[in-house]
Amino acid sequence: MPFPARLAPPATAAAATAAAVLAAVALRRYLSSRSRAAAAAHSTSCAPAATTFLVLSGKSPQDQQLLASSAGDLSLAEEVGGELAVSLALDAGGDAGFDAAAYMGALRAGRFGRWMLWSPRMASTHDLVTQNFAKLPVGVVCVTDVQFKGRGRSKNVWESPPGCLMFSFTSQMNDARKLPLMQYVVCLAMTEAIKDLCCAKGLPELDVRIKWPNDLYLKGLKVGGILCTSSYEPKVYNICTGIGLNVGNEKPTTCLNAALQELKANSPRLKREDILASFFNKFEVLFDIFSNQGFQALEEQYYNSWLHSGQRVVVQDANEGQSVNSVVTVKGLTPSGYLYAVGEDGKSYELHPDGNSFDFFTGLVRRKMDA
């Protein structure tokens, strides 16, 4: 079903046009200075910028107009500070680091990703869409080239180097029981999107896998992560989903394009714009299935993409102040989204990650499901 677009009243046309022109001029100056001093800019990427630039893009002129009508009301988080300058994609010139036209041309989704906010450098895409959720159309995506205050599980914060695909988008859901499973749908959509894109472009297949609960791995190394947060308003949950994917940056682990070069020398490189469009094309389909039929309809596909079927796991159980290790075998997911495993005693167990120290060999706690 279509999502409502909730926007603040638009500013006057003259004021909006003047603001867009000024922001476009400032953005051109910023991009020009950044290209002349790329090395210096990267070395100081952790310092907050005085001005955060946002470029608005829409799939259609109507989409762009809808997004532009909210531009004057957007705000940054208090801890970020600085000013926010907004311009239209047509005013941004050809120096932008993310090709909005290429992305929109590849996008087929009807509800997700049709409205885009792009910034060359910002604190956190997730914070921006979270803070401005009610001012933006549901389904909007925020993309940045460099992010210096990215968010992760357990409130981790990190810098993201150039070459990453970093974006956050919004959605809504009515059923609270499905909220914990949303991150699995997003993980599945990204792995399937990468496979579809490699196939469409005649590239070697990249075997990107899901590491429960919200990481993406390639050849044993992490290449991506997902963060889903939600808030409640009457009768609906507002969901913000953030994704970071190593596309062209080989550090700190590896990236998709490095893996392609290993599989086939001089292989064409994947572009962030194509991956983002492929993701939303796939996610919209999976989200509809998930919303209408539940996660059970996607479980087989999900298990084909994750790392853990049949995996033997060492778990820790606290018993009278002592830690006891046991071995269980992962079988799948429980209805609540935790790991379902069977112990050597034949009993069923539900496995939970132990805070941020979670891995699949130590640091797990368990809860019995059978008497």
Side-chain angles (χ1 to χ4, degrees):
M1 65 179 181
F3 291 129
R6 299 168 299 168
L7 297 171
T12 65
T17 301
V21 170
L22 291 174
V25 171
L27 176 61
R28 286 196 185 96
R29 290 175 178 170
Y30 172 81
L31 292 172
S32 177
S33 64
R34 187 182 69 163
S35 63
R36 290 195 304 267
H42 178 63
S43 66
T44 59
S45 62
C46 61
T51 301
T52 298
F53 295 98
L54 280 181
V55 180
L56 312 182
S57 301
K59 175 70 173 175
S60 68
Q62 294 78 14
D63 291 328
Q64 183 146 324
Q65 183 178 6
L66 185 66
L67 183 58
S69 68
S70 67
D73 242 11
L74 300 181
S75 61
L76 297 171
E78 290 184 7
E79 61 269 23
V80 174
E83 298 180 352
L84 185 62
V86 182
S87 66
L88 301 179
L90 293 177
D91 297 323
D95 297 324
F98 191 89
D99 191 337
Y103 160 67
M104 291 296 180
L107 182 70
R108 299 191 307 274
R111 290 172 293 153
F112 294 103
R114 295 182 64 87
W115 307 273
M116 185 180 73
L117 309 170
W118 169 77
S119 177
R121 180 178 178 274
M122 70 186 310
S124 167
T125 60
H126 202 84
D127 286 350
L128 185 97
V129 297
T130 300
Q131 172 145 336
N132 297 282
F133 195 104
K135 305 170 187 176
L136 294 166
V138 178
V140 69
V141 60
C142 181
V143 184
T144 188
D145 292 349
V146 175
Q147 182 171 253
F148 58 87
K149 196 181 177 185
R151 293 178 57 188
R153 204 157 55 94
S154 297
K155 299 182 180 180
N156 282 340
V157 178
W158 73 92
E159 293 179 51
S160 300
C164 286
L165 172 60
M166 294 163 288
F167 67 98
S168 298
F169 69 98
T170 63
S171 59
Q172 289 182 321
M173 188 176 297
N174 297 319
D175 190 346
R177 295 169 298 179
K178 292 180 179 178
L179 283 176
L181 303 171
M182 178 68 165
Q183 60 186 331
Y184 307 149
V185 179
V186 175
C187 287
L188 177 59
M190 183 57 80
T191 62
E192 292 296 305
I194 294 170
K195 291 176 184 176
D196 288 353
L197 189 58
C198 287
C199 180
K201 293 187 173 295
L203 301 175
E205 181 177 327
L206 294 175
D207 189 25
V208 177
R209 294 276 176 166
I210 299 167
K211 180 181 177 183
W212 184 86
N214 55 6
D215 287 333
L216 301 175
Y217 270 62
L218 177 62
K219 299 174 64 176
L221 297 173
K222 182 177 177 178
V223 293
I226 286 88
L227 172 69
C228 290
T229 61
S230 63
S231 60
Y232 180 73
E233 64 179 51
K235 299 183 180 180
V236 69
Y237 289 90
N238 298 328
I239 305 170
C240 295
T241 300
I243 301 178
L245 181 69
N246 295 353
V247 178
N249 57 301
E250 297 188 29
K251 302 296 182 181
T253 56
T254 187
C255 65
L256 303 186
N257 283 329
L260 281 176
Q261 296 301 311
E262 292 179 5
L263 292 171
K264 183 180 180 181
N266 300 319
S267 172
R269 294 178 176 271
L270 291 173
K271 297 180 179 180
R272 294 180 301 154
E273 295 86 348
D274 291 335
I275 295 175
L276 185 61
S278 183
F279 167 77
F280 282 123
N281 294 341
K282 178 62 67 172
F283 173 76
E284 186 161 287
V285 174
L286 298 183
F287 183 79
D288 285 343
I289 295 174
F290 175 55
S291 299
N292 296 324
Q293 303 176 41
F295 189 73
Q296 294 85 352
L298 300 174
E299 272 191 303
E300 182 177 356
Q301 196 174 0
Y302 179 84
Y303 294 147
N304 288 336
S305 295
W306 80 337
L307 291 167
H308 311 301
S309 293
Q311 187 171 16
R312 290 171 63 82
V313 180
V314 177
V315 298
Q316 294 178 346
D317 218 355
N319 186 12
E320 296 181 355
Q322 294 184 342
S323 181
V324 179
N325 290 342
S326 304
V327 177
V328 299
T329 301
V330 177
K331 298 295 184 179
L333 294 173
T334 67
S336 57
Y338 294 109
L339 288 180
Y340 167 67
V342 176
E344 294 178 322
D345 54 6
K347 294 184 178 180
S348 298
Y349 295 87
E350 184 177 75
L351 306 184
H352 297 230
D354 181 16
N356 197 51
S357 64
F358 169 83
D359 64 42
F360 274 87
F361 304 97
T362 61
L364 281 173
V365 295
R366 71 179 184 180
R367 187 193 326 160
K368 286 187 178 182
M369 297 178 66
D370 292 345

